[in-house]
Structures are given as C-alpha cells and as structure tokens.
C-alpha cells in the first residue's frame, strides 16, 4: 500500500479492517486526554472521514499543530464507527503533517462565513462544504454537456475568443490590444492606427461563438461550442458576469421544432445527470440554501415544457390581472417578472416562447411570413427566467442581407457568414445556454459570483 | 420516417432495401443521359454516400443546379452498390434543393487546394475531406480529455481568462481594456489611470491557468483546466498561435513520479482513443499527408517512455558526435533539434526529461536539494519535440517566496498563491499540454494553423 485512497472511495468502496493511506485537510480537531477526533476532507466528496487518534500513540505536542486547515497524511485502519454521525472511521497508526495552518490568521475557521466574505477569499473558498459542493457539481455539469453532445454525434468546435467583428451586438465588448497606450500610433488624419495593432485591426473579446459555430454546422452538420464569452457592461448585479461560459449548439437541417426538442431534451438530461451524480452535494445545498431545490429539479424533468407564441404569452399577461412593474404590450421585451409569472403562476412548468417580434431579436433569426416576427425561442425556467435563447437561423441570403442593411450592421465584418447562405445554404437552428445560469438553477444559489470559481465583475479581477 | 439519417449511421447501422432521408452537401455530380451519380457528404463521416438518380424520374433542368457545394435533401432506398468504390448506394425517389452553389464563384471545386489557400477560406474549409477529418479528430480528442479526467475523479475547473497578474512570465500578454483610447484618463503624475478601467486595474489575457488551478487542487485534490490561453508574441511560425487551448491538470499529493506516471498514461490514452475512434479519418490523413502517421501513433502507445535527468541528457548530446545548430552545454535550454535527437535517434521512443536547471524554468517549481535544479519534467515526442511541460510545485512557503524575490516578480499579484503554502500546504504537481501540439501529433499535420478552426496569428484575426 503506497497510494492514498480518496475519501470518496473510502466511503463507497472500501473494506472494513483494512489499512488505508489518507491525505487531506483538517476540518475540525477535538479531543480529550485519551482520544482525539480529526475530521479530514480531501475535496473528493462533501463528507469527512473521522480519524480516531489514541493519545498513547501520539503526544499532545505532536497533535497540537493539527488545527483546522492543516494538511496531513494518515495511515490507519478502517473500522465501523463507535460514535454517531458516521458509519466508519479510521484508527490512526501513523500521521504526517504536510502543512500547518496558523489559527490566528487562517480565515476559514469552523464558524460559518457569509458568501460575500468568502468571495473575498476565492482562493480558499473551495475548501468549504458549500464551494466544494458547487465546484464538484460544476464539473459534473460540464462533463454531462460534453457527454450529451458526444453521444449524439455533435462535434465540439472551438470558436475564436479574440474577434475582429462586432456584429451580434449582444453587448459591450472588451478591447484586446498590444498597442503602447503611452505612444499610440496615429494615421495621417489623427486616428489611432489599428494596422499597427497585433492583428492589424481593432479586436475584441467575443460575446458569442454562434456565427462561427454556424460555419461549423454548415459542414459538419451538428456542432456545439463551450467556451468563455465576455460582456463589458457595467452591471453590478447578482446575475451578471463580465466573463462567463456559454454552450452554443448549431445544427444544420433543424427547424425550430427540432431546436425546441433538442433544448428540452438537453436540459432535462443535465438536470437528471445532476440528480444522479451529485446527490450528496445537492442534499447539502438543499438543506443549507434552498429547501425547494431538489423538488424543483425533479419537477423540471418530470413535466413537458409548455410551448407557445410570444403573442399568446402577451395576451395571457394582459389578461392576468397582475400588477407588473414594467408595462406589458405587444412588442415589449419580456422582463423577469413576466417570464416568472408565466412559468411559476400561469403554466406552473417551464415554458418555451417562440415567434418573437423581430425588433427585439437579433438579425440572424429566420423571418416569419407575417413580416413581424422571427423564429426565436426562449426557454423560461422557474426562479431563473430565461435559461436558453435560440432560433432557427435565416438561411435566405437576400433576407439576411436586407436585415443586416436595415440594422446598419457592418457587412464587411461578416462576408464569411453571408457566404454560407450563398454556397449551399441549408435550414439550420441553434441556441445558447449560459453555463452559470444553468449552475444557478442546479445549485439553487442566488448570486452568479458563487457558481464560478473566480468571478470577473466591474472593478474585480482578483486571483 | 420524418427524420434524416446521418451518413455515418447509414454506412454503419442501416438496413438494405429500406428508405432513408439524407441531407448534406454535394461533393461531385456526374452522369449521362440515363443516370446521374451524386456524391453526398454531411460531415458526420469522411465517406460520401452515392446517390443514384434515374433521369426518367428527374429532369435535366431539375438536376442542373445540383453542383459541387449545393445542399440537398434526398429520399431514397438503400441498395447494394452495382459499381465499385462503395458497398451501398441510395436510389433517389425524391430530391429537394435547399441551396445552390454557383460553380463560377464557389472556391471549393473538386480539384485539390493548397492548405495555405484553404486557410484564407477558413469559413468553408471544414467542408473538405482534410478539415472534416481534422475537426472530427479534434472533437474526439477534446472529449477523450474530459472522459479521462472525469473517470479518474478530477474536477474540471474554469480558471479565469482575464487576469490582473503577470507572474508566470510565460510570454507577452494582450491587454484587455474598456478605456477610450482617444481620451485616456490620467493620474496627476501623467500616468494612465487604470483605476478607471473596467476592472479598476490593468488586465490581460491569461497565458496559463496553472496558478489558479493550484488553488483548486489545494481543496479538491485533483483538478484540470481546459481553456484558451494567449501569447502576444510576434511569431509567424508553423508552431505558434496567439490563441490556443491548454489542458492543465493539478494534483495535490502527487510527487514528480506520480506526475510522470499520469502524463504518460494520459497521453497514451488519448492516442489510443484516436486510433479507436477516428480510424477512417486517420487513414485518410495517413494516406494524404503523412505515411508514417498511424505507425507513429502505434509506436507511442506500445513503448514505455524513457525517463532521465536533464544532466544525463546533456551528456548524451555532448557525446553524440552530432553537429547541432545550437550549442549544447549544461544550463542551455534544449532546442527542438536536441529534443528530437534524443527521441528519434538515441532512445527511439518518447522521453521524459526531469531535474532541469532552475534558471531556465519557472519560479514555482520545486527546488532540489542540489541548489541548482528543479523538479521539472518535459515530455518529448517524435516530430513534435516538447508536448507536455510540468513539475512538482514548490510547496515550501519560504523557498517559494525567496525565489519570487530573486526573480523580482510582483509579489503583490500572487499573495493568494503564496497563501496556499501558508495554510495547509501539501506536496503537489501538475503539467500543461498544448491542445494544438497534441493535434499536430495525432493528425500528422505540419502547420498549427491547420488544426484549429479559426487560427489567430500576427496580422490575422479573420472570421
């Protein structure tokens, strides 16, 4: 026996009366003259293993530096626990201290900390039960996404992060440059000479991989992206990040119905995967943060999503008798309060709204024959509101070009996008899922800064 | 029957004499008075399906616009092929043209194109056999990476893309800003006031997720990153990209030997996965670009990697009698020619070099007792040279801080990194694999711009 056993394996597939090597961080250490108890955690599972230490084998002096946060190695025998609270425990034979942890300065003591405080120590918060649980769930959700698309024959496509075009208009962009800001090159007419910049032109961080994703779909049929996207909006809210991860599948030969079928199947798969693979972590979050969490997850996978046109949704809202903060009228962009009314009060299940007014949707969405609406779809969820946005894409070259001109978008930036409609165009569709929105839904957390390891927000790029 | 069948499924799990719906792009279209043959591809597999068209059912006028690149839907019956070159074919009953493709302007005609030309039409090149194969392999390699780590209990950790620190010194960085370059805010002493920037300080695109990855490992034990990284070096070579993807596992409780074991097992798993899941695409690339490709892949998985200290490697090189362009001496940074000599001529297998001089390695590597070398490891591959770089990390707070001071690194940028050595430090290790380096090795392609969908290089951020 020379390798450590992870605590998750020790608790799920080990043998009583065998010896094991454990390595991890001390959560608590208490004891009396005869016996000490160390709760050890290694991040592989939310549960600790209790180490029972006989003070005849280990001196008080030796045990003293084993305080909360210290890192140790333990060799010992697994036995049924004599105490309550755990089924098994380890009787220590050898202990090695890897790293001590000064109780005077270590910020993570036993007592509870506010989530806000923990954000200020994002380098240490993964050591807490809460963030251990959240980041394990985050892993499982990311893997489930890849697993889902892989099993369906989609290709994962890496779309570029640095982009020279700003056509989607999804938000404010961050500029990317190597120019010396103290000595900006200028053209003859006094403008900043972007020819001198690294890429020979002005570049920014992408707000979406969709347009390039479509290029992939028009060759490989079914692709998805999963990468970071950026918004430079000065939004200091619990729902906005400057840097976040998006999943964007794009599929040739899918119409809007196929698109809705995929979105519903996909998200139900993810929620089911969480329930199947993250039960202990979800139970913890359910207990500590959101008593309706698991019920809500179950509810989503058990009920078909309601599908209806935007126009009908407006009628329902107008006839609801509810007092909304924002006025409801045909053509308005639905607010969270409207979306949640539809989902939580009216239909009591997730809702997919389609056929939105073209004025409130992006240029690339397929135009309906009514001349007013486009083949958009938004998937609305309880507590979250919009979790997925997508559409059938406009595959007609002339219609797409007209829309680009109507909106005064820089045509020269998207010649390549237009060419897919010129050379063998095909009906196709896609959607985007904000990974952190999914994480909010699956974990029940209220602040998006708590579901990403190192949040980037206005005035904050620490760690 | 209302759904299309992908060609990959048609060719691998379909029934003769059944009807199928196929949708895809025309690769070739030829024929005579009586019968036409359309080779159709949908990107799901490198092979086309031959559509046999009876001109008594479809008029010449109807068939005329079905040229190379056009997108069509076909309903027809699967039958054993009467010709050579394919086992089965489809007898067309119905054909719908989704999108035509003007032969005068479509750049991808039947004839071969140079890889260089294809880079200039990166929006269309996934429709070629070569790039279809490469991007399918890229998908499978990405999935294999997630699958490998997931099955071993590692957590996928999203480290930040935008960073406020530049400590690793791995290369030139891109600045990220929302400042108005025409109206830069200045402090009283005339400096640019980064307090006014989006994040309240100077920020850049990350060159590596390692430091943040270590934070995850010191809580969850075993993590990996897989995300984009950036270098603003003006390197116009077949081996450099300004934007590329890296995989960086970090593991608590791993020493350098564990690290080497993991790296070797990992990369063998990936190569084996490629051979198992991408056979047709690899055969195509083997035939068209690199006749030794599959042999080389087999070779890597069948042979144990040679492991030896840098100092021994220097001796071998000095005694080799080879004429190298760059001089060999203890302390020199090995060049590609040196690495390839060791791998291809001396050991004739992949090599892992360890214990490099500290001067040519990063500050965070564990210092050996000799005071001269660090616990670094580089995995060297045939044709590629270094494919993985890693090390055991310095877990001793004082040693790490001294090294940071010796190198004049900005200590204030990495207080959080240092704190992991203060609070429960643990022996730990990790490594980085450049995803495009892996792709070069697995596909046998020679230029890194051909293994990423939309390459970013100096003066080029198209698409």
């Amino acid at each position: 026996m020379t390798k450590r056993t992870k605590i998750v394996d020790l608790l799920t597939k080990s043998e009583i009366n065998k010896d094991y090597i454990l390595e991890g961080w001390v959560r608590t250490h208490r004891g009396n003259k005869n016996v000490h108890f160390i709760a050890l955690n290694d991040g592989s599972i939310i549960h600790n293993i209790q180490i029972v230490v006989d003070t005849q084998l280990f001196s008080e002096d030796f045990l003293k530096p084993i305080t909360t946060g210290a890192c140790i190695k333990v060799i010992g025998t697994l036995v049924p626990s004599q105490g309550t609270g755990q089924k098994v425990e380890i009787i220590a034979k050898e202990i090695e201290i890897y790293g001590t942890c000064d109780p005077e300065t270590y910020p993570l003591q036993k007592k509870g900390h506010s989530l806000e405080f923990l954000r200020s120590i994002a380098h240490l918060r993964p050591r807490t039960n809460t963030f251990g649980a959240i980041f394990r769930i985050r892993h499982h959700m990311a893997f489930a996404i890849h697993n889902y698309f892989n099993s369906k024959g989609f290709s994962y496509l890496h779309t570029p992060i640095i982009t020279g075009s700003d056509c989607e208009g999804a938000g404010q962009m961050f500029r990317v440059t190597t120019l010396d800001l103290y000595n900006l090159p200028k053209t003859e007419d006094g403008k900043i000479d972007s020819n001198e910049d690294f890429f020979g032109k002005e570049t920014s961080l992408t707000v979406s991989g969709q347009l390039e994703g479509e290029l992939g779909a028009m060759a490989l049929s079914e692709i998805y992206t999963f990468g970071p996207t950026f918004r430079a909006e000065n939004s200091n809210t619990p729902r906005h990040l400057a840097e976040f991860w998006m999943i964007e599948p794009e599929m040739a030969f899918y119409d809007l119905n196929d698109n809705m079928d995929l979105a519903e199947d996909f998200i139900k798969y993810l929620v089911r995967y969480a329930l199947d693979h993250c039960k202990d972590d979800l139970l913890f979050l359910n207990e500590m943060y959101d008593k309706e969490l698991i019920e809500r997850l179950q509810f989503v996978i058990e009920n078909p999503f309601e599908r209806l046109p935007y126009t009908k949704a407006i009628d329902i809202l107008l006839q609801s008798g509810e007092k909304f903060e924002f006025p409801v009228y045909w053509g308005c962009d639905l607010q969270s309060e409207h979306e949640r009314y539809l989902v939580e009060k009216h239909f009591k299940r997730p809702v997919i709204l389609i056929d939105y007014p073209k004025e409130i949707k992006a240029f690339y969405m397929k135009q309906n024959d009514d001349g007013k609406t486009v083949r958009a779809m938004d998937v609305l969820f309880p507590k979250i509101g919009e979790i997925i946005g997508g559409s059938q894409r406009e595959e007609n070259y002339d219609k797409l070009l007209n829309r680009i001109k109507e909106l005064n978008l820089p045509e020269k930036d998207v010649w390549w996008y237009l060419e897919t409609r010129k050379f063998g165009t095909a009906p196709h569709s896609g959607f985007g899922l904000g990974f952190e929105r999914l994480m909010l839904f699956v974990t029940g957390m209220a602040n998006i800064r708590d579901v990403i390891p190192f949040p980037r927000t206005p005035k904050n790029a620490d760690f």
Side-chain angles (χ1 to χ4, degrees), chain A:
Chain A
M1 180 192 58
T2 57
K3 293 278 174 202
R4 82 168 173 128
T5 298
K6 293 191 211 182
I7 293 171
V8 64
D9 295 330
L10 191 80
L11 294 180
T12 55
K13 41 189 177 189
S14 56
E15 285 173 50
I16 290 296
N17 293 330
K18 259 190 72 177
D19 282 2
Y20 291 92
I21 300 177
L22 302 172
E23 297 174 300
W25 291 270
V26 173
R27 286 294 172 82
T28 58
H29 179 184
R30 65 199 167 79
N32 55 41
K33 261 198 313 188
N34 302 319
V35 62
H36 281 218
F37 300 98
I38 298 170
L40 195 70
N41 188 285
D42 66 4
S44 64
I45 189 171
I46 195 160
H47 307 300
N48 306 322
I49 180 77
Q50 175 158 285
I51 313 289
V52 182
V53 184
D54 184 343
T55 54
Q56 296 206 305
L57 274 173
F58 302 91
S59 73
E60 285 291 335
D61 278 356
F62 175 80
L63 293 174
K64 201 163 178 236
I66 302 179
T67 55
T68 296
C71 185
I72 62 173
K73 172 182 180 176
V74 177
I75 302 179
T77 312
L78 188 73
V79 299
S81 178
Q82 308 196 344
T84 55
Q86 62 277 324
K87 282 191 187 152
V88 292
E89 60 196 16
I90 289 278
I91 308 294
K93 291 177 161 178
E94 294 174 36
I95 298 176
E96 182 181 343
I97 300 174
Y98 287 138
T100 56
C101 192
D102 176 21
E104 300 297 313
T105 54
Y106 187 53
L108 277 179
Q109 297 303 328
K110 207 170 42 175
K111 66 178 159 55
H113 300 283
S114 74
L115 293 172
E116 199 167 6
F117 169 73
L118 291 173
R119 267 171 237 145
S120 74
I121 52 167
H123 61 312
L124 297 175
R125 68 177 180 169
R127 299 185 186 185
T128 63
N129 281 331
T130 297
F131 287 95
I134 290 170
F135 296 141
R136 278 187 298 270
I137 294 170
R138 192 174 163 108
H139 162 74
H140 285 290
M141 288 296 88
F143 183 73
I145 288 162
H146 288 296
N147 205 37
Y148 180 84
F149 287 122
N150 181 66
S151 72
K152 290 198 169 296
F154 284 56
S155 285
Y156 180 32
L157 189 80
H158 285 130
T159 51
I161 311 301
I162 298 173
T163 175
S165 68
D166 173 21
C167 215
E168 222 210 332
Q172 290 282 105
M173 296 175 93
F174 288 100
R175 179 158 185 160
V176 174
T177 183
T178 55
L179 292 178
D180 178 357
L181 301 195
Y182 284 102
N183 190 13
L184 287 166
K186 296 277 171 75
T187 58
E188 282 185 6
D189 56 350
K191 295 219 165 135
I192 292 165
D193 188 1
S194 295
N195 285 323
E196 298 287 312
D197 211 340
F198 189 90
F199 295 106
K201 61 177 169 182
E202 222 178 297
T203 50
S204 311
L205 292 178
T206 186
V207 296
S208 158
Q210 181 199 316
L211 302 192
E212 290 90 353
E214 287 185 48
L215 304 179
M218 297 303 278
L220 303 170
S221 294
E222 294 170 327
I223 66 90
Y224 70 105
T225 75
F226 187 171
T229 50
F230 305 85
R231 304 282 156 87
E233 265 121 48
N234 197 2
S235 301
N236 241 319
T237 83
R239 301 170 55 78
H240 289 88
L241 291 167
E243 174 182 313
F244 56 100
W245 289 69
M246 286 258 283
I247 299 100
E248 299 182 281
E250 282 290 330
M251 301 77 64
F253 316 119
Y254 278 52
D255 65 16
L256 192 65
N257 283 319
D258 301 325
N259 206 18
M260 284 192 279
D261 290 346
L262 183 75
E264 182 168 344
D265 186 61
F266 174 51
I267 204 152
K268 282 179 169 171
Y269 172 86
L270 298 180
V271 173
R272 202 176 298 115
Y273 193 98
L275 288 166
D276 288 348
H277 292 80
C278 312
K279 200 64 186 245
D280 289 354
D281 289 327
L282 288 175
L283 283 170
F284 173 82
L285 296 174
N286 192 84
E287 178 64 26
M288 299 294 287
Y289 292 97
D290 180 348
K291 300 269 193 253
E292 290 162 6
L293 173 61
I294 289 177
E295 200 180 313
R296 198 182 310 116
L297 299 181
Q298 285 290 359
F299 181 79
V300 159
I301 57 178
E302 284 162 8
N303 288 280
F305 295 3
E306 188 75 31
R307 301 176 183 192
L308 75 158
Y310 167 93
T311 301
K312 273 198 193 161
I314 293 293
D315 288 345
I316 290 167
L317 291 169
L318 287 172
Q319 287 159 22
S320 69
E322 286 280 313
K323 274 201 175 169
F324 294 115
E325 191 188 340
F326 295 90
V328 175
Y329 55 94
W330 196 95
C332 76
D333 211 351
L334 295 183
Q335 302 295 321
S336 188
E337 56 173 346
H338 308 138
E339 295 174 345
R340 294 186 63 175
Y341 173 82
L342 292 169
V343 170
E344 293 167 19
K345 294 204 178 159
H346 189 84
F347 290 110
K348 297 197 169 57
R349 63 181 57 186
V351 170
I352 311 183
L353 291 190
I354 62 168
D355 294 340
Y356 279 74
K358 67 177 179 185
E359 282 75 18
I360 57 173
K361 289 293 179 184
F363 74 95
Y364 48 70
M365 296 192 179
K366 185 175 172 65
Q367 296 159 39
N368 280 316
D369 291 337
D370 63 13
K372 295 191 302 184
T373 60
V374 289
R375 296 298 270 165
M377 65 172 209
D378 281 2
V379 181
L380 312 180
F381 255 40
K383 208 176 164 188
I384 299 287
E386 183 196 327
I387 192 163
I388 281 178
S391 74
Q392 187 167 343
R393 315 309 188 189
E394 182 55 76
E395 83 264 25
N396 181 288
Y397 181 84
D398 294 326
K399 285 187 186 174
L400 183 63
L401 184 59
N402 281 342
R403 192 74 186 130
I404 287 174
K405 285 182 171 163
E406 267 175 30
L407 294 170
N408 265 319
L409 296 171
E411 198 183 320
K412 66 163 181 37
D413 283 0
V414 285
W415 62 271
W416 41 271
Y417 184 71
L418 277 161
E419 282 205 346
T420 55
R421 274 66 172 174
K422 208 149 111 186
F423 300 128
T425 193
H428 64 292
S429 298
F431 61 81
L433 167 68
F435 189 50
E436 285 76 20
R437 285 277 170 93
L438 172 74
M439 281 297 298
L440 283 177
F441 183 73
V442 171
T443 62
M445 300 303 287
N447 193 315
I448 202 161
R449 296 163 204 221
D450 295 331
V451 296
I452 190 168
F454 306 100
R456 267 67 184 115
T457 51
K459 301 293 170 205
N460 173 38
D462 292 340
F463 310 104

